[in-house]
Amino acid sequence: MKFFIDTANVELIRSYYELGIIDGVTTNPSLVSKEDGSFDDIIKEISSFVDGPISAEVIATDTIGMISQAEELAAINRNIVVKIPMTKEGIKAVNALSKKSIKTNVTLVFSPAQALLAAKVGAAYVSPFIGRLDDIGHHGMELIEQIRAIYDNYQFATEIIVASIRHPSHVIEAALNGADVATVPPEVIEKLFNHPLTDIGLAKFLEDWKLRFG
Ligand code: G3P
Protein backbone atom coordinates (compact mmCIF):
# COMPACT_ATOMS: atom_id res chain seq x y z
CA MET A 1 0.00 0.00 0.00
CA LYS A 2 1.25 3.47 -0.89
CA PHE A 3 1.48 6.24 1.72
CA PHE A 4 0.57 9.79 0.79
CA ILE A 5 0.95 12.60 3.31
CA ASP A 6 -2.21 14.66 3.86
CA THR A 7 -0.98 18.21 4.47
CA ALA A 8 0.02 21.36 2.59
CA ASN A 9 2.81 22.16 5.06
CA VAL A 10 5.98 22.07 2.95
CA GLU A 11 8.38 21.57 5.86
CA LEU A 12 6.39 18.64 7.28
CA ILE A 13 6.17 17.08 3.82
CA ARG A 14 9.93 17.49 3.41
CA SER A 15 10.76 15.93 6.79
CA TYR A 16 8.62 12.81 6.26
CA TYR A 17 9.56 12.53 2.57
CA GLU A 18 13.23 12.34 3.58
CA LEU A 19 12.45 9.20 5.59
CA GLY A 20 11.61 7.39 2.36
CA ILE A 21 8.11 6.32 3.41
CA ILE A 22 6.04 8.86 1.44
CA ASP A 23 4.88 8.09 -2.11
CA GLY A 24 2.82 11.24 -2.73
CA VAL A 25 0.95 14.20 -1.26
CA THR A 26 -2.68 15.21 -0.94
CA THR A 27 -3.87 18.74 -0.18
CA ASN A 28 -7.30 20.30 0.02
CA PRO A 29 -8.52 23.93 0.25
CA SER A 30 -8.79 23.76 4.06
CA LEU A 31 -5.22 22.43 4.42
CA VAL A 32 -3.82 25.03 1.98
CA SER A 33 -5.63 27.86 3.78
CA LYS A 34 -3.69 27.05 6.99
CA GLU A 35 -0.34 27.78 5.28
CA ASP A 36 1.47 30.99 4.28
CA GLY A 37 2.05 31.77 0.61
CA SER A 38 -0.05 31.44 -2.52
CA PHE A 39 -1.64 28.15 -3.58
CA ASP A 40 0.48 28.04 -6.76
CA ASP A 41 3.72 28.67 -4.85
CA ILE A 42 2.92 25.94 -2.30
CA ILE A 43 2.15 23.41 -5.03
CA LYS A 44 5.27 24.43 -7.01
CA GLU A 45 7.47 24.04 -3.94
CA ILE A 46 6.06 20.59 -3.11
CA SER A 47 6.58 19.59 -6.77
CA SER A 48 10.21 20.67 -6.60
CA PHE A 49 11.19 17.73 -4.35
CA VAL A 50 8.34 15.18 -4.29
CA ASP A 51 8.61 12.62 -7.07
CA GLY A 52 5.11 11.20 -6.88
CA PRO A 53 1.45 12.18 -7.26
CA ILE A 54 0.54 15.55 -5.69
CA SER A 55 -3.17 16.28 -5.39
CA ALA A 56 -4.25 19.91 -5.77
CA GLU A 57 -7.95 20.79 -5.66
CA VAL A 58 -10.02 23.07 -7.88
CA ILE A 59 -12.20 25.76 -6.29
CA ALA A 60 -14.63 26.17 -9.21
CA THR A 61 -17.90 24.26 -8.91
CA ASP A 62 -19.01 24.42 -12.56
CA THR A 63 -17.65 22.03 -15.19
CA ILE A 64 -16.07 24.68 -17.42
CA GLY A 65 -14.40 26.41 -14.47
CA MET A 66 -13.13 23.09 -13.05
CA ILE A 67 -11.64 22.10 -16.42
CA SER A 68 -9.89 25.43 -16.83
CA GLN A 69 -8.46 25.35 -13.27
CA ALA A 70 -7.45 21.71 -13.77
CA GLU A 71 -5.51 22.60 -16.91
CA GLU A 72 -3.68 25.38 -15.07
CA LEU A 73 -2.80 23.09 -12.15
CA ALA A 74 -1.72 20.23 -14.42
CA ALA A 75 0.64 22.61 -16.24
CA ILE A 76 2.60 23.22 -13.02
CA ASN A 77 4.20 19.76 -12.98
CA ARG A 78 3.70 16.31 -14.52
CA ASN A 79 3.02 14.87 -11.03
CA ILE A 80 -0.04 17.04 -10.35
CA VAL A 81 -3.30 15.16 -9.85
CA VAL A 82 -6.33 17.44 -9.94
CA LYS A 83 -8.78 16.96 -7.11
CA ILE A 84 -12.37 17.37 -8.25
CA PRO A 85 -15.37 17.29 -5.90
CA MET A 86 -17.89 14.46 -6.29
CA THR A 87 -20.75 16.38 -7.91
CA LYS A 88 -22.57 16.00 -11.23
CA GLU A 89 -20.56 18.95 -12.59
CA GLY A 90 -17.41 17.36 -11.21
CA ILE A 91 -18.06 14.01 -12.88
CA LYS A 92 -18.57 15.79 -16.21
CA ALA A 93 -15.24 17.57 -15.71
CA VAL A 94 -13.45 14.31 -14.81
CA ASN A 95 -14.81 12.72 -17.98
CA ALA A 96 -13.42 15.58 -20.11
CA LEU A 97 -10.09 15.67 -18.23
CA SER A 98 -9.58 11.89 -18.59
CA LYS A 99 -9.85 12.32 -22.36
CA LYS A 100 -7.12 14.99 -22.20
CA SER A 101 -4.95 12.60 -20.10
CA ILE A 102 -5.13 14.89 -17.04
CA LYS A 103 -5.14 12.76 -13.89
CA THR A 104 -7.95 13.36 -11.40
CA ASN A 105 -8.72 12.46 -7.81
CA VAL A 106 -12.46 12.53 -7.07
CA THR A 107 -12.85 13.82 -3.54
CA LEU A 108 -15.58 14.01 -0.89
CA VAL A 109 -16.71 10.47 -1.66
CA PHE A 110 -19.03 8.98 0.94
CA SER A 111 -20.82 6.14 -0.88
CA PRO A 112 -20.00 3.17 -3.16
CA ALA A 113 -22.30 4.63 -5.84
CA GLN A 114 -20.21 7.82 -5.95
CA ALA A 115 -17.01 5.75 -6.23
CA LEU A 116 -18.54 3.75 -9.09
CA LEU A 117 -19.41 6.94 -11.00
CA ALA A 118 -15.89 8.30 -10.53
CA ALA A 119 -14.35 5.08 -11.88
CA LYS A 120 -16.71 5.02 -14.87
CA VAL A 121 -15.46 8.41 -16.09
CA GLY A 122 -11.81 7.42 -15.69
CA ALA A 123 -10.73 9.05 -12.42
CA ALA A 124 -7.16 8.04 -11.59
CA TYR A 125 -8.00 8.12 -7.86
CA VAL A 126 -11.05 8.21 -5.63
CA SER A 127 -10.94 9.60 -2.08
CA PRO A 128 -13.48 8.13 0.36
CA PHE A 129 -13.45 10.12 3.64
CA ILE A 130 -13.71 7.44 6.27
CA GLY A 131 -13.08 9.53 9.41
CA ARG A 132 -15.95 11.87 8.57
CA LEU A 133 -18.25 8.82 8.19
CA ASP A 134 -17.09 7.51 11.58
CA ASP A 135 -17.81 10.98 13.01
CA ILE A 136 -21.50 10.64 12.13
CA GLY A 137 -21.80 7.12 13.55
CA HIS A 138 -21.13 5.05 10.42
CA HIS A 139 -18.37 2.47 10.03
CA GLY A 140 -16.28 4.32 7.44
CA MET A 141 -14.03 1.35 6.65
CA GLU A 142 -17.01 -0.65 5.29
CA LEU A 143 -17.04 1.82 2.42
CA ILE A 144 -13.47 0.82 1.53
CA GLU A 145 -14.43 -2.88 1.51
CA GLN A 146 -17.37 -2.14 -0.79
CA ILE A 147 -15.41 0.02 -3.22
CA ARG A 148 -12.60 -2.57 -3.35
CA ALA A 149 -15.12 -5.31 -4.21
CA ILE A 150 -16.81 -3.22 -6.91
CA TYR A 151 -13.55 -2.13 -8.54
CA ASP A 152 -12.24 -5.71 -8.49
CA ASN A 153 -15.49 -7.07 -10.02
CA TYR A 154 -15.04 -4.86 -13.06
CA GLN A 155 -11.25 -4.38 -13.12
CA PHE A 156 -11.52 -0.60 -12.73
CA ALA A 157 -8.02 0.90 -12.65
CA THR A 158 -9.08 3.78 -10.37
CA GLU A 159 -6.96 3.69 -7.20
CA ILE A 160 -8.63 3.93 -3.80
CA ILE A 161 -7.11 6.56 -1.50
CA VAL A 162 -8.34 6.12 2.06
CA ALA A 163 -8.73 9.71 3.27
CA SER A 164 -9.81 11.45 6.46
CA ILE A 165 -7.62 9.11 8.49
CA ARG A 166 -7.74 9.81 12.22
CA HIS A 167 -5.53 7.16 13.88
CA PRO A 168 -3.08 4.28 13.15
CA SER A 169 -5.84 1.63 13.17
CA HIS A 170 -7.38 3.34 10.14
CA VAL A 171 -4.07 2.85 8.30
CA ILE A 172 -3.89 -0.85 9.21
CA GLU A 173 -7.53 -1.47 8.30
CA ALA A 174 -6.98 0.32 5.00
CA ALA A 175 -4.12 -2.07 4.23
CA LEU A 176 -6.15 -5.13 5.33
CA ASN A 177 -9.00 -4.06 3.07
CA GLY A 178 -6.76 -3.75 0.01
CA ALA A 179 -6.77 0.03 -0.38
CA ASP A 180 -4.20 1.23 -2.91
CA VAL A 181 -3.22 4.29 -0.89
CA ALA A 182 -3.66 5.71 2.61
CA THR A 183 -3.29 9.47 2.83
CA VAL A 184 -2.14 10.10 6.35
CA PRO A 185 -1.89 13.37 8.32
CA PRO A 186 1.58 14.03 9.83
CA GLU A 187 0.37 13.51 13.43
CA VAL A 188 -0.88 10.02 12.55
CA ILE A 189 2.31 9.16 10.60
CA GLU A 190 4.23 10.05 13.75
CA LYS A 191 2.15 7.58 15.80
CA LEU A 192 2.86 4.76 13.32
CA PHE A 193 6.47 4.66 14.51
CA ASN A 194 5.73 4.25 18.17
CA HIS A 195 5.35 1.20 20.40
CA PRO A 196 6.12 1.30 24.15
CA LEU A 197 7.79 -2.13 23.99
CA THR A 198 10.24 -0.78 21.39
CA ASP A 199 11.26 2.03 23.78
CA ILE A 200 11.49 -0.31 26.78
CA GLY A 201 13.43 -2.91 24.75
CA LEU A 202 15.95 -0.39 23.41
CA ALA A 203 16.53 1.13 26.86
CA LYS A 204 17.22 -2.39 28.24
CA PHE A 205 19.65 -3.29 25.42
CA LEU A 206 21.63 -0.08 26.00
CA GLU A 207 21.59 -0.54 29.78
CA ASP A 208 22.88 -4.15 29.53
CA TRP A 209 25.60 -3.04 27.09
CA LYS A 210 26.68 -0.23 29.42
CA LEU A 211 26.84 -2.60 32.42
CA ARG A 212 29.10 -5.03 30.58
CA PHE A 213 31.23 -2.73 28.38
CA GLY A 214 30.95 0.61 30.14
O1 G3P B 1 -7.60 15.38 2.29
C1 G3P B 1 -8.89 15.05 2.62
C2 G3P B 1 -9.13 14.42 3.95
O2 G3P B 1 -8.10 13.60 4.32
C3 G3P B 1 -9.70 15.32 5.01
O3 G3P B 1 -9.62 14.79 6.29
O4 G3P B 1 -9.64 15.04 8.75
O5 G3P B 1 -10.55 16.90 7.31
O6 G3P B 1 -11.78 14.75 7.53
P1 G3P B 1 -10.45 15.42 7.52
Side-chain angles (χ1 to χ4, degrees):
M1 185 176 68
K2 284 171 270 191
F3 272 9
F4 291 176
I5 185 166
D6 196 26
T7 181
N9 184 293
V10 175
E11 288 324 309
L12 283 171
I13 296 169
R14 202 186 297 279
S15 67
Y16 287 102
Y17 190 68
E18 281 168 359
L19 295 175
I21 56 170
I22 302 297
D23 303 291
V25 179
T26 52
T27 67
N28 65 39
S30 302
L31 293 172
V32 171
S33 65
K34 289 183 197 163
E35 306 300 329
D36 293 332
S38 75
F39 179 37
D40 273 26
D41 286 348
I42 291 170
I43 297 300
K44 277 182 193 154
E45 204 176 343
I46 299 170
S47 314
S48 70
F49 64 91
V50 172
D51 188 18
I54 300 159
S55 285
E57 188 160 342
V58 297
I59 302 303
T61 53
D62 63 300
T63 304
I64 301 287
M66 286 190 221
I67 293 172
S68 133
Q69 286 181 8
E71 286 173 337
E72 283 170 27
L73 288 168
I76 293 177
N77 187 282
R78 65 182 172 85
N79 282 329
I80 301 299
V81 175
V82 183
K83 243 178 163 178
I84 304 275
M86 176 56 227
T87 59
K88 217 186 260 183
E89 293 285 302
I91 287 297
K92 235 165 107 181
V94 172
N95 188 37
L97 292 166
S98 307
K99 292 185 176 127
K100 293 172 188 259
S101 300
I102 292 179
K103 285 192 173 173
T104 53
N105 170 359
V106 175
T107 188
L108 291 165
V109 166
F110 293 96
S111 78
Q114 292 178 322
L116 180 54
L117 294 174
K120 280 194 72 71
V121 288
Y125 300 93
V126 69
S127 289
F129 279 27
I130 54 155
R132 293 192 194 183
L133 281 168
D134 289 354
D135 290 346
I136 59 159
H138 291 244
H139 184 202
M141 204 54 71
E142 277 171 12
L143 176 57
I144 304 303
E145 280 177 57
Q146 291 170 326
I147 300 173
R148 180 75 283 155
I150 291 167
Y151 284 8
D152 288 351
N153 280 349
Y154 299 100
Q155 285 86 50
F156 282 120
T158 306
E159 292 191 45
I160 304 168
I161 303 180
V162 178
S164 187
I165 280 180
R166 302 268 194 266
H167 44 73
S169 303
H170 274 154
V171 179
I172 302 311
E173 285 175 52
L176 289 169
N177 283 303
D180 300 286
V181 184
T183 190
V184 192
E187 59 278 13
V188 177
I189 298 180
E190 197 55 44
K191 290 181 186 165
L192 294 175
F193 283 92
N194 301 331
H195 196 288
L197 290 179
T198 305
D199 300 337
I200 293 166
L202 181 58
K204 178 77 174 122
F205 284 160
L206 295 178
E207 186 192 321
D208 290 346
W209 185 269
K210 206 173 164 197
L211 281 173
R212 169 70 176 76
F213 299 106

